[in-house]
Structures are given as C-alpha cells and as structure tokens.
Amino acid sequence: MSFRLKLILPIAFMFVCILTQAQVKQLKLNRVEAMAGLPQPLQIIDWKLMAQNFDKTVYDFNAKGKYWPLVWLDSTNKNFPQPVMGIYTAIGDVRQGPQNNKGMFHEALANMGSVLGATLIGIDKSKQGNMNYVAMLKNYFNSDTKWNIMMNNTAPEVALLGGGYGRDWWYDVYPNVLFYAICEQYPNEKDFDWIAKSIAEKFCKADSILNGNYNYSYFDYAQMKPMKNQICAQQDAAAGHAWVLYAAYKKFGDDRYLRGAISAMTALEANKINPTYELLMPFGAYLAARMNVEQGTNFDVEKLLGWTFDGTAVCREGWGVLTGNWNGYDISGVVGSNIDHGGYGFLMNTFDAAWPLVPLVRYKPAYANAIGKWVLNAVNASRFFYPQYMPANRQTIPQFASVTKGVIAYEGFAKTSTFDTLYQDRIGPVAQGDGPKWVPGKNPEVSQFSVYGSGHVGIFGAIVAKTNVNGILKLDVLATDFYRSKAYPTYLIYNPYLEDKNIIYKIKGNKKVDLYDAVEQKFVARNVTTTTKIKIGKRNSVLIVETPSNSKITKSNKDVLANGVIIDYQRK
C-alpha cells in the first residue's frame, strides 16, 4: 500500500465518523455569557416540594394566622352562575378578601398560575377535596363585557384596581396563554372547548385587523379595534397572540389559526427595536424554534432570544434578564429591569420565562448550553426571593417572615431598596415587593410578599430536578411543551464545571430504554432499566431522549425518529 493511500484512509474514516456523530454546534447568548459559570453561594432547593407545600398551605380555607386564609369564595357569579375561588395578589392587600369590593377583586394571574403550577407537579385541581378549581376559572371569561376572552378579573367593576381591561395589553393577553395551557391539561372540562374556540377566533380576527402592525397600547376585543393610551406600545403582544393561535391550531386543526400564528410572528420579528414589555417575548422565541422545524418557517430565533435576554427594550427600558454579583451574591438569571435602582428582578417573571425557554431546546439543541447555564443561574438566585433563604439584612421585613409559612416569597429583589426613603440600610440584593405602593398608607408592609408570583412555583417544580452532582440539574424539556406531538421523555442536563463530570442518570418506571443525546446526535447508553452513568463534558450539555430499547431508527426530512416518533429535529 502506498504512503499516500495509508494517509488517505485514516482521514476518510475520521470524516465518516464526524458525519455520523456530528455534535450540534452550540450558539451563545451574550447575556448568558456574562453570567457566573457556577453561581455562588450555590444552593438548589427542592422546587417540587415548594410547589406541593404552596398548594396544600394556600388552598386551605381554614388556615389560621393573621392575614390568613389567603383564599375565599366569590359568589357574585360573574360570567358563569357559579362561585369562583378568590386568592390574594399579595398578603394583606386591603382591596381583597371576602369583605372588600364584594369579594370580587382577585386576579387570573394568581388563580390560573396556581392551578397550572399545581397541575404540572401532578395535583388534579379539578377534584381536590370537594372543589373543582379548574371549572372555576371559567368566570374569568368575560362575556358580560363582550370581549369574550379570558381577562385578569371577572368584571370591569374591579378592573381599575389591577391591570388590563384596555390599559395594559399583556394583562389582557397572558390570561389566555395560561388558560390554553390549563385547557390542554384538562381536555374534558365542561365548556373549555368552546371558550378556547372563542379566544382563538378573537385573536385570529384581531391579528388580521392589525395586519402586521402591533404598535398599540392595547386591543379592544369587543369593538375589535387597536387602541393607544398613555402606556407605550406593546408590540410583543404579537408573541402572545401567536402562541395561543398555534396552540389552537394544534388543538382544533384549523389552518386559519396556523396562518394567524405565522402572521403574528412575522409582525413580531419585523420590529426595528426590541419591543419586550413584560412576559411574552420568550414565547415568541420558543415559537420561532418550534415552528421552524414543524412548519418550515424561517424565524430568527437568535434575534428573539436576544430581545428576551439583553435588556435592550425601548418601551420597558432595560427589561430583560439580569446579570451580576451584588455584594457577594450571584443574582444572574432572574427576569426584570436592569436599570431600576441598579436592577430589580421579579419572581413570577423568572418562573414563567422557564416555561417556554426550556422546551425551546428540544427544537433548537444549539442553545442547550446557553439555556442550561441560564436555568442554573435563575434557579439558584430564585431562592433569594424567599425570606427563609435570604439573610435578614438583605430583606426589607425579615421580622414578618413567619407570615409566609415558608411558601410565599417576596415579589422581587433589587440592588438597592426601591422605596427610596425606606430600608436604605439593607445590603443588596434587597428582597422586597411593591404591595405598599399599590395603596399608599393602607396596604401593610407584608403586602411585599407576593401570593400571585409564588403560585407559579409549579413551573420550576415540574421542570427542575437535582442530580447526584451539586449544581448539575436535570431539566424536563417536555413539562411545559404544550400541544406537542408525541415524544419520549427528554431531559436537558448542563455541566457548569471546568472539568468533565459523571452523573447517575435515573429512569422512571419499569421500562428498558436506550438513551439518545440530541446534542451529540448519538446513543450514549443502551438497555437501561434503573440507572446508568453519563459523562458530560466541561461547560457542556446533553439532551437525553429516552427511547424504547431496540427501536427502529429512521430518518425523514432530516429528522431522526425512533419507532416513528421524532427524537432529533432537523439533524444537520
């Protein structure tokens, strides 16, 4: 054999190996690059246990203690002839409870968020005790106002006390996002289908009227007119419209909803400035990744993720994902304002960002490292919202911590107190909340504890689990991937350490599976029944898909399938 042939053969063999086992090249997010590699002080709490404790503690009509119970029954029968559970937005809010405003002031963001969160960790809220908390959510469907969508309150009589109702667009859109997620979890709930259909019709028609221009403060879904007021334009409402319409397309199979989702996404992406306002942009990024592989669209995932993270928003100046170390505490990963008093992150926004961003990785594994690193930072920092995990000198009212019963967190934390003249001796990050500002001189200090934000804890509870290595998380990629096609259990695991790590990977249930890594694009273990070791490279990820052992592996349109189920989208 000639020297040239001897040289060519090994090179050719290596080239074939690269083609058959090509690792997905990882893409970076600038904001995530600025986060701590391994945040300090590092402590990952049990988020599923926190969600379980929230549910059993807060959903107790006989709870004892000052400011408790936090729930009551509203029997004003708005929109539907049935009572609905009221739940406080913040502890001690003087506008709420059965004795104030006829018991009518309670928010869908709190009620729906807590129902969804509990459901995601396995609690059936449709038959808990003698209550159907799922059916009660119908009362937020505002038929009396002719809007015929889910809204943040049950009636306009109390709407001015909170958000939405033709003032703040995201407040009018997000309850419908929450409802559609709940609707998927309870497909047989009475009236849910026609309500979901009504919402889809309203959003579809609204998008056609807007015709690519979402440059408005809100949309009047009764008059079907876009409107402007003193609140700046919220173009990211297009992301909320798109998410609901794509879910409706998956649910009902109506191509009009698919066209509406594509139209809304096109309008979102066409913005010349970052239109991030509150909670909706991450849903746009998720949809971009998902629709690109499912529908053949070509939305710019990188652009929408940048808008989500970078803090370059124009209307809501500085809104995005926080980074930094404040007086020895890594606070990176939480969502909020990067400029308000040096930075102000919020609990609910951080929980809810994980909902779309974690499943995004399933459709775009190139962001596995970036999302894995962000989640680690966000999960670690989020414990600081809870008084029991924050030193007393870093919170505004540590003396009232017992009021929370260990399940209610502060609304947020800031680099310095945002009360300007109060709590100025506290060391940042300062755990606090805005409740006293809502009703100055009347809302008590304890209204800084956020019931509505804490109720969304089930999102973390369903997604986040620890492994045997501290700081390496096992993230359930399917937990919040609503209205998806059939899929096998899929987990994102990121190694934040500067050396390779071996984790013990555990299988749930009595089954034998092969483990496919959608990042390495190869099987890394075969015939696993209980546990196996998986090696993860330094500052790298695996995206494990548990496929039935001895599955028939095929390819279709670049996708890899196991027994006809996609395990790797658009393999390249």
Side-chain angles (χ1 to χ4, degrees):
M1 184 181 295
S2 69
F3 176 79
R4 177 177 291 182
L5 186 58
K6 288 181 180 179
L7 183 64
I8 291 173
L9 285 175
I11 294 174
F13 177 75
M14 289 173 62
F15 182 66
V16 170
C17 288
I18 291 170
L19 284 178
T20 55
Q21 296 183 0
Q23 182 171 359
V24 175
K25 181 181 179 180
Q26 293 298 293
L27 300 175
K28 296 180 179 180
L29 296 173
N30 292 334
R31 201 74 178 165
V32 177
E33 288 296 297
M35 296 179 185
L38 192 66
Q40 299 295 325
L42 179 65
Q43 182 184 355
I44 307 300
I45 68 173
D46 188 333
W47 290 99
K48 183 174 182 179
L49 179 62
M50 179 66 78
Q52 291 169 335
N53 288 339
F54 176 92
D55 187 77
K56 71 180 181 183
T57 305
V58 173
Y59 278 78
D60 180 0
F61 288 87
N62 299 308
K64 306 300 182 185
K66 190 175 183 180
Y67 303 113
W68 290 75
L70 298 180
V71 292
W72 71 94
L73 284 180
D74 168 7
S75 298
T76 55
N77 295 342
K78 294 293 183 179
N79 302 306
F80 280 87
Q82 62 173 15
V84 59
M85 187 197 76
I87 183 171
Y88 277 83
T89 296
I91 289 181
D93 192 324
V94 297
R95 305 167 298 175
Q96 297 182 305
Q99 306 305 320
N100 301 302
N101 291 298
K102 301 179 181 178
M104 288 167 41
F105 182 44
H106 42 85
E107 298 190 73
L109 294 187
N111 212 334
M112 289 185 182
S114 61
V115 167
L116 176 61
T119 302
L120 290 175
I121 62 166
I123 298 172
D124 187 346
K125 299 295 287 186
S126 69
K127 47 183 179 182
Q128 190 175 33
N130 62 346
M131 297 284 194
N132 184 345
Y133 296 108
V134 178
M136 291 179 181
L137 300 178
K138 293 186 296 188
N139 290 58
Y140 292 106
F141 180 75
N142 276 232
S143 56
D144 291 348
T145 63
K146 309 301 182 186
W147 281 46
N148 291 319
I149 62 172
M150 288 290 178
M151 300 186 75
N152 195 41
N153 303 109
T154 61
E157 292 96 309
V158 292
L160 293 179
L161 299 175
Y165 283 80
R167 289 176 296 124
D168 210 346
W169 203 349
W170 82 271
Y171 264 114
D172 292 330
V173 171
Y174 199 57
N176 298 281
V177 175
L178 287 164
F179 173 74
Y180 254 85
I182 294 166
C183 196
E184 190 227 39
Q185 300 290 299
Y186 298 93
N188 299 317
E189 190 60 50
K190 184 176 182 292
D191 298 317
F192 270 26
D193 273 5
W194 71 258
I195 290 174
K197 190 79 170 177
S198 173
I199 293 166
E201 288 294 319
K202 286 283 188 175
F203 280 18
C204 193
K205 186 174 182 181
D207 177 78
S208 68
I209 292 169
L210 290 160
N211 194 27
N213 178 18
Y214 277 73
N215 191 32
Y216 294 94
S217 305
Y218 71 98
F219 192 90
D220 187 319
Y221 295 91
Q223 299 183 66
M224 297 307 290
K225 292 181 180 180
M227 309 292 283
K228 291 187 176 182
N229 59 22
Q230 76 282 2
I231 299 175
C232 59
Q234 297 180 30
Q235 298 98 322
D236 61 343
H241 271 182
W243 190 92
V244 168
L245 287 171
Y246 197 65
Y249 165 66
K250 290 291 185 177
K251 179 176 176 61
F252 297 112
D254 191 328
D255 286 341
R256 292 182 303 122
Y257 302 150
L258 173 59
R259 291 194 295 271
I262 293 173
S263 170
M265 284 293 295
T266 302
L268 175 69
E269 189 178 77
N271 282 283
K272 303 302 182 185
I273 51 93
N274 181 350
T276 292
Y277 188 80
E278 184 83 15
L279 284 171
L280 297 173
M281 188 59 72
F283 291 90
Y286 159 81
L287 272 185
R290 180 173 174 180
M291 293 174 73
N292 284 353
V293 298
E294 290 189 341
Q295 305 301 331
T297 54
N298 192 32
F299 294 119
D300 192 337
V301 181
E302 182 181 12
K303 178 180 183 178
L304 298 181
L305 281 173
W307 282 349
T308 296
F309 279 86
D310 286 350
T312 55
V314 174
C315 166
R316 200 77 175 275
E317 186 181 2
W319 202 262
V321 177
L322 277 63
T323 63
N325 182 289
W326 295 347
N327 299 311
Y329 279 56
D330 284 315
I331 56 80
S332 294
V334 299
V335 178
S337 170
N338 285 279
I339 61 174
D340 187 355
H341 289 78
Y344 191 1
F346 295 91
L347 175 68
M348 188 182 79
N349 301 68
T350 307
F351 285 154
D352 288 24
W355 162 358
L357 292 178
V358 172
L360 177 151
V361 174
R362 179 169 176 245
Y363 305 102
K364 190 75 172 178
Y367 288 106
N369 287 356
I371 297 301
K373 181 180 178 181
W374 165 67
V375 172
L376 172 61
N377 275 272
V379 165
N380 183 68
S382 290
R383 78 179 188 277
F384 299 142
F385 293 110
Y386 291 84
Q388 65 267 40
Y389 295 110
M390 185 66 103
N393 66 341
R394 295 178 184 261
Q395 48 183 307
T396 53
I397 49 171
Q399 68 273 26
F400 295 119
S402 62
V403 171
T404 70
K405 299 190 178 184
V407 298
I408 309 297
Y410 286 95
E411 183 184 10
F413 61 66
K415 193 170 187 179
T416 60
S417 167
T418 70
F419 285 88
D420 296 331
T421 60
L422 298 174
Y423 318 116
Q424 295 303 302
D425 60 333
R426 304 302 195 265
I427 301 173
V430 181
Q432 61 155 81
D434 291 338
K437 300 178 183 179
W438 300 338
V439 193
K442 294 183 179 180
N443 255 5
E445 284 187 287
V446 295
S447 62
Q448 295 181 64
F449 294 126
S450 173
V451 182
Y452 82 121
S454 302
H456 294 230
V457 65
I459 294 172
F460 269 18
I463 292 174
V464 179
K466 295 187 285 187
T467 67
N468 61 301
V469 179
N470 189 32
I472 297 184
L473 306 178
K474 184 180 182 183
L475 307 178
D476 189 337
V477 174
L478 302 185
T480 53
D481 190 16
F482 300 111
Y483 297 96
R484 57 174 167 77
S485 301
K486 183 178 179 181
Y488 299 124
T490 306
Y491 298 93
L492 170 62
I493 308 171
Y494 172 70
N495 172 17
Y497 292 93
L498 289 172
E499 64 270 356
D500 297 350
K501 291 288 185 179
N502 289 301
I503 66 154
I504 297 175
Y505 187 95
K506 297 180 180 180
I507 305 297
K508 294 180 181 179
N510 184 22
K511 56 185 178 181
K512 183 183 290 187
V513 297
D514 297 334
L515 303 183
Y516 180 85
D517 178 9
V519 173
E520 287 281 353
Q521 297 192 318
K522 67 179 183 180
F523 285 93
V524 295
R526 300 277 189 178
N527 299 316
V528 181
T529 55
T530 52
T531 63
T532 190
K533 285 187 178 180
I534 293 180
K535 183 179 180 179
I536 310 174
K538 61 181 181 181
R539 299 278 166 92
N540 213 342
S541 301
V542 294
L543 183 59
I544 299 297
V545 185
E546 298 179 3
T547 66
S549 289
N550 302 313
S551 293
K552 181 181 178 181
I553 306 300
T554 58
K555 289 186 69 176
S556 175
N557 297 323
K558 298 182 180 179
D559 298 334
V560 180
L561 300 88
N563 293 341
V565 176
I566 296 175
I567 60 174
D568 191 346
Y569 282 92
Q570 291 195 344
R571 180 173 181 166
K572 296 179 181 179

